[in-house]
Amino acid sequence: MNFSPCSRSPSIWLLLVGVLNAALLVHAEDRPLRDVIDSEISAVWQREKLTPAAPSSDAEFLRRIYLDLAGIIPTYDEATAFLKDQSPDKRQQLIDCLLDHPRYAQHQADLWDLILFGRNPPGFGTDKREGIQNWLKEQFAANRPYDEMIRDLLRAEGNSVEQGPPMYYVQFRNQPEDLNEKVTQTFLGVQLQCARCHDHPFDDWKQTDFFGMAAFFARLTVVEVGKKDNIAMYVIGEKNSGDVLFTGPAKDQTPGKKGEPIKPKFLLGGGLDEPALPEGYKEPKLEEKKPPPPPTFSRKDKLVEWIARADNPYFARAIANRMWGQYLGRGIVHPVDNLSPANEPSHPALLDAITIWLVEKKFDLKALTRELLNSNTYQLSSRGTSGEAQPMWFQHARVRPLSAEELGESWRIATGYDEATKDKPPEKTPSRFRPLNRDYVVRFFGQPNNGTGDFQGGLAEHLYFNNGELGSLLLRTPGSLLGTIINKEMSGDERIERLFLQILSRPPTTAEREKFIEMVNKKDVEDRVNDLVWALLTCSEFRFNH
Amino acid sequence: MAVRCNPGEHFSRRALMQSALGVGAGGVVMNWGGLTQTSLADEVRKQKKHCIYLFMNGGASQFETFDMKVGARTGGPFREISTNIPGSRVCELMPKLSQQMDQVAVIRSMKTSQVDHPGGIYLMHTGYQPTPNVRFPEFGSIVAKYHGTEQTDLPNFIKIFGHGDAGSGFLGPRYQPFGIGPDGSLPTFSGSNMAAEKELRRHEVRAFLEDQFAAAHQSELARLHRESYEAARRLGAARKTFNIDDEWEKNRELYGDSAMGRRCLLARRLVEAGVPFIEVGQSGYDTHGDNFTGHRGLVPSMEHAWAGLMTDLKQRGLFDKTLIVWAGEIGRTPSINNRAGRDHYVRCWSAALAGCGIKGGQMYGESDTEGVEVKSNPVTEGDFFATIYQALSIDPKIENYTGVRPIPLAPFGSKVVSDLLG
């Protein structure tokens, strides 16, 4: 294996030994990765003397997998069909089916939009980013290899509206230091922010590492080249000159002191070989609304090449760990974007094994997802005794809050709103949150949002539940849940069955049947059913994926 | 389970809640005053201190308030008036406050690092400059964390026409601010028109479902979800605290008949009801044009309300436990531009503190003759917040973790300005 630009640090050698061991682990019996996962995870349960939770029930699995892969709950018909299905490999079939469903690409694009931008990205113009959102969807629909996808993202060719990727840089316009923090954290799992102001207190990073990486971005410039459908189109240009200036530790800085220009340097590696500029070079003036000419030598492209190499010790490991965290609730290194030596993995051999497997499969994220979801570990019940939302030893499934998009779209399925309105002529640009107000849903449920975020109850979301707009989901027309339930032909028992299957994707328990039978047999049944529907739409069982 | 000391774990929500001080096992606490971590936490709580942040959005001018340069080329048209402290003078726009300056400590040597509004607002709410990777909490969230009580009817951090959107940052949604409108109105969806009987019926159905889920899952998330649902219900019961109409008539004179007066009266009611942190905002100070007309319109209602608030707090025995912080996000230039305006300026500007043991009756720090540079005793944003925390009996060196990174309440290297503390 060749680690050319970065062969000097001892930590690389440690990593290399680990990866070789992991290669043996994967190749020893040529076992499927899912089996390697289960044996590594259960070995640690034995060491820690832990009893794992039982396997998930079909209903538990069903709701979890729909939300994790498609970002929505199953419909009543989908739920009943799956629960009735007797075939032994029905879980595997459902995983395959959802991986090829258009919703898969949509949901992954939603997650990556949040990874790349968050809810409130900096930078003028970044709130309208359908270009890159569509681009992300296309990447996942085509199952683009992750390294190719990230290379295209960071090369940022084309414009921010018709192609998309340049929008990533727009949020860090003229801020090479901020951009550097974000790129190294997101794609390499390396957090350099401490080293921005002082040498890192417990990692190896020096301030010069920070500025050496930031130097790759110092010459980028955001240029607006016109508008399409009233949305500004940006392209990313790169100048031939310009440097980041390093002023030394923050405590030694004084006003007016100019820093030293810093040359680009790869993390843990050498400097960049770059041709010298001609004597007395003068940067040409940018023409307005025109894409700038490409540079004679692109620092950015050199960095992109280095970042997305299969043998970059951070790149593959960071995505392997992130994917694990996405489905298992926490990273093997947690948080997922901090692969610092001070932040040890809980299952080091397993992380190495997944990393090397992913590199061998040429960064096929869908294939990795398939292995993760078919593991017994993923398919454990979340009914455990530890009470932890994200158990470190993965002895039961994690519990995570639904994102704003997941809630908005799942509420429509649960109430039959989609079914009841499917023949209505579509609006020009139907809101994903219809009939609810996007601003409210995103404000109250937008964060935490990445599927692995911590959650604490907020007062505001309950005010919204209690007094907000949920009532507008409750249609009474044919196809809607209430329209179906209030049908006189239905017995009380059937009504309860329908309510639970359609909203919570499971049949009611005996206790629930007994508790609610009277309610749904009342004369003023609609009012009572409304109470029950409201409670089902807002209770913890709906609010979380478990 | 084996004990693992993974620094990332120091920030688990559970650790935060189990430890009153919010520093999980292994968190570093510098023990000022020799108190242990636990007893310090108890001490902090026992003192039940409050903080009201009078936030001047846009950046009030030091030259039209506390640091006049009468006679200087760019001093502006207003006159100085004497105060109840011999030799100390303030702007004529502040007649009520001038008679209570023995209670107020003015800092005339603020020197901060963010010259525009978004950065300045962030800085003057968190003590830190904005950075892409760390979501710093507002000091309201920090005060809510150390002086707040769980299971109260009212939120621990309330903003009445507040500004800034840093929120609780890495401290998490538990310490999120609860926002009240400029006219004191409750946020969207606070009100319910439902019949009490129906509300109770819905509540019972929901409680049954939550009990079942909790029995099977013992999930911490579900517990938090349920707790905040209960808090939302309790807020309904506490709604009357926000209705100041029954008290307004007899306090109109004291606070001044203005929106700012009503906000300050509401803040006092909330302090009385036990809320540890309230921000009261006033907007419109970004006077790049017509600075003097602007301040003539804004300062009188603000200073009247502020003076009334101090009188009222004193009469109720709350002044010694309530810190009043007065500041904007920036100061304004010594020079006057061609639109009779003053622009943004952070090299030398003013802020003020009162109550809660602040040594009033002083003008701390000095600006030079034209107010261009700090002449003595500069106070950075870090020093400012360190002093605030210290006044509230919260050790500014306490660290919270975001990921593996320890973050002290006030930025590393900040100094408490002990001359300001009694």
Side-chain angles (χ1 to χ4, degrees), chain B residues 231-289:
Chain B
R233 287 193 84 218
R234 285 198 306 267
L235 181 70
R239 219 175 290 152
K240 60 180 184 305
T241 313
F242 294 94
N243 182 5
I244 64 165
D245 286 342
D246 49 338
E247 249 200 294
W248 179 239
E249 279 308 315
K250 60 176 190 284
N251 283 293
R252 189 201 298 264
E253 286 295 301
L254 180 62
Y255 283 87
D257 193 2
S258 68
M260 191 61 184
R262 290 177 65 96
R263 284 173 216 149
C264 284
L265 173 60
L266 176 55
R268 189 270 289 157
R269 278 173 75 102
L270 293 172
V271 165
E272 225 170 10
V275 177
F277 191 97
I278 304 112
E279 175 179 333
V280 176
Q282 190 191 22
S283 209
Y285 282 101
D286 195 20
T287 47
H288 293 282

Side-chain angles (χ1 to χ4, degrees), chain B residues 78 93 258 260 282-285 287 290-303:
Chain B
F78 298 121
L93 297 176
S258 68
M260 191 61 184
Q282 190 191 22
S283 209
Y285 282 101
T287 47
D290 293 327
N291 173 69
F292 306 101
T293 324
H295 279 73
R296 196 196 297 279
L298 289 164
V299 174
S301 61
M302 180 276 291
E303 75 98 30

Side-chain angles (χ1 to χ4, degrees), chain A residues 185 467 512 531 538 540, chain B residues 133 189 198 201 206 210 212:
Chain A
Q185 176 164 5
N467 313 315
E512 285 160 342
D531 293 344
T538 63
S540 295
Chain B
N133 274 340
F189 307 127
K198 182 169 171 67
R201 215 168 57 204
R206 198 170 187 284
E210 290 294 53
Q212 290 214 108

Side-chain angles (χ1 to χ4, degrees), chain A residues 48 181-182 185 330 338 343 382 384-385 387 456-457 459 461-462 466-467 512 527-528 531 538 540, chain B residues 2 6 9 13 133 174 189 191-192 198 201-202 206 210 212 216-218 220-221 225 228-229 232 404:
Chain A
E48 301 290 327
E181 273 188 30
K182 217 60 202 173
Q185 176 164 5
R330 59 178 295 137
N338 189 354
N343 190 23
S382 62
T385 52
Q456 285 184 345
L459 192 59
E461 74 170 60
H462 287 283
N466 296 352
N467 313 315
E512 285 160 342
D527 198 32
R528 299 307 172 97
D531 293 344
T538 63
S540 295
Chain B
N6 177 342
E9 292 302 292
R13 303 284 188 217
N133 274 340
R174 167 165 295 233
F189 307 127
S192 162
K198 182 169 171 67
R201 215 168 57 204
R202 284 202 327 187
R206 198 170 187 284
E210 290 294 53
Q212 290 214 108
H217 284 82
Q218 284 124 30
E220 182 183 298
L221 297 196
H225 189 236
S228 44
Y229 164 75
V404 295

